Amino acid sequence: MGEQSVRFQNQPVDVSGEFGRQENHFFVADSAVSFDAASSAGHILWKGMALRQRVSYHQLTLQLEDYRVWEDVPPGEYEEDQTLPFRVLPVAPGTLRVRLAARPASGTPPSSPMLVAEPGERDPSWEVEDLGDRVVWRSPCGSLSLRRSPVRFEFRDASGKLLTATNHLSDSKAVVNTLQIPLCFVRNASNLHRHVAASLALAPGERLYGGGESFTRLDKRGQRLVLWAYDAYSAQTPRMYKPVSFLLSSRGYGFFVHTSAPLTLDVGHSYDAANVIYLGDDVLDLFFFFGSPREVLSSYTALTGRSPLPPLWSFGLWMGRESYRSEREVREVARRLREHRIPCDAIHLDTGWTEKPFHNDFRFSTTRFPEPERMISDLRKEGFRLSLWQFPYLHPNDALHKEAVDRNYAVLSANGRPPVDDAVIDLSNPEALRWYQSLLRQLLRKGVAAFTADFGEAAPLSGLYHTRQGGFHEHNLYPLRYNAAVAEATEEVTGESIQWARSGWAGSQRYPLHWGGDPEPTYGAMAATLRAGLSLGLCGFSFWGHFIGGFSAPSPPELYLRWLAFGALCSHVRCHGHPPTEPWEYGGKFAERFRKVVELRYALLPYVYAQAALCAGRGHPMIRPLFFAHPQDATSWLVEDEYLFGEDLLVAPLFSEDHERDVYLPPGAWISYLSGEAREGGRWHRLAAGKEVPAVILVRDGAAIPRATPAQHTGLIDWENLELAVFLAEKETAEGSILLPGGEEPLPLRVELREEEPVLAEDPLEGRVKWSLVRIGEGTGSRHPGI
């Protein structure tokens, strides 16, 4: 007997394998045979080909060669070559939409939950010109040339520089022509499904970023990204909780593959000069964006949506573990937090709040939480919100399992019958969605402030869904539907859009916020967590956090503090994982150091909140790689272990037991947040972390950072008396922004240096805020007030 291939449930689907199977029939893009300028649509001739074995020097290779399917049927009955439609539509000044069909008619694109709205007619900033041998679309942002024969789509920037182009079979210069896959599609021999491979040229030195919350190297050049939502159980594998079909190039462009089907991005992994999109669908719907990283991300999020600004309290500390199991335990944690004067705004109940831990009946345990509403009310009086864990699966012994199955609210098995094991709530079913949200709303009405939307990555591939689609298209959409369900129910009751979601897909950024899964308590996992956050941020996710100290085992004390310093300088701050997570469990000295780091966070909340509003409005991430602000600086594209926190702060966490590390500073002067010492940018420095805050923190020269006196929770922050820290090394003016609670948008702050004293050039909050101005960066090395 031959070997049996065993496939486990929910294993990632890598469709690139279909392009190496000899039994499949290949169709290679040959020429554009028609085009209508009025509709920007035409047809492409795809030549039928096959993979042929060639033997040489005791080795087999596969070549693409001409192939006839039928020899004995009437002409035209089963065509070897196929003429299929395409369309190019400029949808915004810096955005083009290219649709290539591997089927006779692609039709009108269906409404998509990934997009905020279906793009309308052609953007007027673009002009189209038919030059005979090619068609050219031009705008002030860039251009696209479609060469008719051989067919090739060439994308250029505003200066005319070639950014990338589709690869034709004739472009292959290798001895074997399949090494550089051309623009093509295959017809699967086992089911006659069609899959597209869009092959784009890569330039020497080009770098690609994004792809979702990827834990691997930040630069995806040389990697293969299998985009399939998956419970990674780790922060150190290629698996992703939140894959996103978006990439950003160092050459000044980005692209988004609009699909929920499985797809693989081979970013120069199989062939260095080709970036290949292997798509498990028969229509390639590609959005191409021109511009700098900032411009590309704003264009992408204008299409797929931006994160609303979460409530102010959510930017405070969240304290939790796996898990608090009684009302007495929760009240004790709240008491100890205030006793140790550790600022905190939320306490999270994980898997232990229901009668049977890990079973999800959406009811507090009556034996261990006898008066949940009173507990929640008492916590709120002390400045604490309550967060609850839940998930959209029902174990066979869960009380709601039978109800979900009887009402047809669960995803059906491949045989059309209800599931026997775990029931996955079918959130594509409007009735099931309303039922699930009603379970959430009853808890929110008791005073619960937010939910952890755990899991969501296991919608069955073999399942049957209400949409009449299979798991091939619904699996990756499930996290997006799940995120939306929790966010909408929460906002309906509380008026606030907030959750902690683990899974995600393109568009999930509209439903903040997300966290980085279950990392190991190691320095390696901490570094990988940062890479994941930066990658996800480059896919339009403004707000993101992580389990400080790791999840799967107790965190060593020093690692926990260093991870806390990293977490305190991200958009959101959450302690969670295998106990202990409470600082007093590590001793009094540790708790004091813990408090100092959290107080730094609360002192910076006026800066954090203003930056959050700016990011929400622009579709930019709160934490971003150095190149996001310095795209012209070549070295900034190489750094993956430090980041910018908003516009003005640079953070370099400690990823080892050393107390100092090498830090690259982008061009311009930078000033230590903790000592005031100025450093020259555009070079590397060996820098020590602060004694109380174990991270290297620097501030851009010319930044005006609003700060508050640390309070026990965000509701006690004195917004009427703020300090404005002005960081000046070489500049004479400083700029920043401020957003007060209840404000609609950040207001600009501008400070001028007059006779060595900083003075507000214009006070946008005159009469509402009393400012204390502090100048930092004179090179004295002294510590400034409040730290």
Side-chain angles (χ1 to χ4, degrees), residues 211 223-225 227 245 247 255 257 263-267 276-277:
Q223 299 184 43
R224 181 197 297 268
L225 307 179
L227 302 188
S245 50
L247 284 180
F255 66 78
V257 186
L263 73 157
T264 296
L265 301 179
D266 189 310
V267 191
V276 186
I277 304 162

Side-chain angles (χ1 to χ4, degrees), residues 598-607 673 705-711 717 722-723 786-787:
V598 178
E599 285 182 340
L600 169 68
R601 166 71 177 200
Y602 276 71
L604 282 170
L605 277 176
Y607 169 81
Y673 184 81
I705 307 289
R707 303 191 303 203
T709 300
I717 290 177
L722 297 178
E723 179 182 84
I787 300 299

